[in-house]
Amino acid sequence: MLDLHVSWDEYHQSIELLAKQISQSQWEFDRIICLARGGLRVGDILSRIFKKPLAILAASSYSGDRERGKLSIASQVTMTDALMGSRVLLVDDLVDSGVTLQQTTVWLRDLYPEIEELKTAVIWYKASSTYIPDYYVSYLASNPWIHQPFEKYDNYKRSMLNKSDLD
């Protein structure tokens, strides 16, 4: 299992390919919900492309560098209007084990009975996943650890912000 390193250009191109795939399916949806943190950028860009309202649901199962723990889901979805809509697109950056997407789809359907149709979209779908997303850009048979371009900020400290040249 080799690590996969993704540049900003590759990252944005992948989101555009995901948007193209969703568009070509001709599935109409009312709202996009992104899973924070990984799905924030994906959801933001898709929301802009499709001109659909964006909602945010915080969910996390990673506690350390590569340590997966118990899934924690926020108590509510953050959105600027009161109506969820009947057709929802749930987006994240990747599906690894499948636990997060599987459990959040159940959680959303329980909390919002008006959801009639819920589909999922990710950039990367790993073979290790028990959940198959409706839309994905890359199937990764070798289950690599994915290094996304914004991860460089994970190691920043506030004191580094005073430096004149951040790298």
Side-chain angles (χ1 to χ4, degrees):
M1 171 178 73
L2 298 176
D3 287 6
L4 174 62
H5 294 268
V6 180
S7 70
W8 277 113
D9 283 343
E10 292 167 327
Y11 181 76
H12 288 122
Q13 288 169 357
S14 293
I15 296 172
E16 291 169 9
L17 287 171
L18 184 62
K20 183 176 180 181
Q21 186 183 123
I22 294 165
S23 178
Q24 288 175 341
S25 78
Q26 298 186 350
W27 181 61
E28 294 295 326
F29 51 94
D30 306 309
R31 170 174 309 280
I32 296 171
I33 300 176
C34 64
L35 291 177
R37 293 188 313 186
L40 282 170
R41 290 166 188 87
V42 180
D44 175 56
I45 293 171
L46 293 179
S47 175
R48 292 169 189 272
I49 290 171
F50 290 104
K51 312 293 187 264
K52 298 294 181 182
L54 180 65
I56 301 169
L57 177 60
S60 178
S61 61
Y62 282 92
S63 56
D65 286 337
R66 296 185 186 196
E67 300 292 322
R68 186 180 304 125
K70 183 178 180 233
L71 177 64
S72 176
I73 301 175
S75 61
Q76 61 187 358
V77 174
T78 301
M79 53 189 187
T80 57
D81 50 351
L83 299 175
M84 176 58 71
S86 62
R87 292 182 315 268
V88 173
L89 178 64
L90 177 64
V91 301
D92 204 353
D93 54 349
L94 62 95
V95 59
D96 191 358
S97 69
V99 170
T100 301
L101 280 182
Q102 191 278 326
Q103 289 187 15
T104 53
T105 57
V106 170
W107 185 90
L108 285 166
R109 288 184 182 280
D110 287 345
L111 192 62
Y112 297 96
E114 66 268 29
I115 296 176
E116 296 173 11
E117 194 172 8
L118 189 148
K119 293 191 177 189
T120 55
V122 299
I123 298 172
W124 301 284
Y125 163 34
K126 292 185 180 184
S128 57
S129 176
T130 59
Y131 186 94
I132 301 170
D134 296 288
Y135 306 101
Y136 60 91
V137 175
S138 299
Y139 175 76
L140 304 173
S142 64
N143 301 306
W145 186 263
I146 302 168
H147 297 275
Q148 298 183 49
F150 45 81
E151 288 180 7
K152 75 175 196 172
Y153 300 108
D154 289 344
N155 297 319
Y156 271 44
K157 295 178 177 45
R158 286 181 83 171
S159 61
M160 295 172 70
L161 296 173
N162 296 327
K163 292 173 134 183
S164 61
D165 57 339
L166 295 175
D167 40 54

